[in-house]
Amino acid sequence: MDDHYQTLGLSSTPLPTLREIKIAYRRLLLRHDTHNVENEQILRKIYEAYDVLRDPEQRRLYDEERRGGGGGDRGNGGGDRGGGTFDGRNRHNPPQRSQQQGQQQGSG
């Protein structure tokens, strides 16, 4: 796994602010010619690092993963992201309880 902080030229201790991340990102884009094919791989890493670190939720998961916490639901489709079996089942096949509630409301 790439160190996104290092990719942007930042130290991860103490954690940089969003403003510091934006400044580092923009500085690197100015330093590397975005029209030069030879810089494509470097720029891809810079874009990826910025995309993760600028989003508070992705950054939290990334930091947890770096610390060895595993990041919870990242990549497995479970938990808060709505990719788990329970959410999918409710979307396509609602439980009978919701049908019964509708009948009770109509008869009252």
Side-chain angles (χ1 to χ4, degrees), residues 54-70:
R54 73 183 173 125
D55 180 89
E57 180 62 16
Q58 285 187 32
R59 184 178 179 184
R60 182 186 65 79
L61 293 171
Y62 172 75
D63 287 340
E64 284 180 10
E65 191 174 300
R66 287 180 71 232
R67 286 193 298 266

Side-chain angles (χ1 to χ4, degrees), residues 19-82:
R19 183 174 187 272
E20 292 169 328
I21 291 168
K22 285 180 183 180
I23 290 170
Y25 169 73
R26 291 175 180 158
R27 188 174 296 142
L28 284 170
L29 290 183
L30 290 173
R31 192 176 304 161
H32 299 284
D33 180 9
T34 57
H35 300 290
N36 187 342
V37 177
E38 294 174 6
N39 290 334
E40 184 178 344
Q41 198 167 27
I42 295 167
L43 290 169
R44 188 172 292 147
K45 285 185 176 189
I46 293 169
Y47 295 144
E48 179 185 347
Y50 182 67
D51 280 344
V52 170
L53 297 180
R54 73 183 173 125
D55 180 89
E57 180 62 16
Q58 285 187 32
R59 184 178 179 184
R60 182 186 65 79
L61 293 171
Y62 172 75
D63 287 340
E64 284 180 10
E65 191 174 300
R66 287 180 71 232
R67 286 193 298 266
D73 62 359
R74 185 175 192 176
N76 67 7
D80 298 341
R81 296 194 153 201

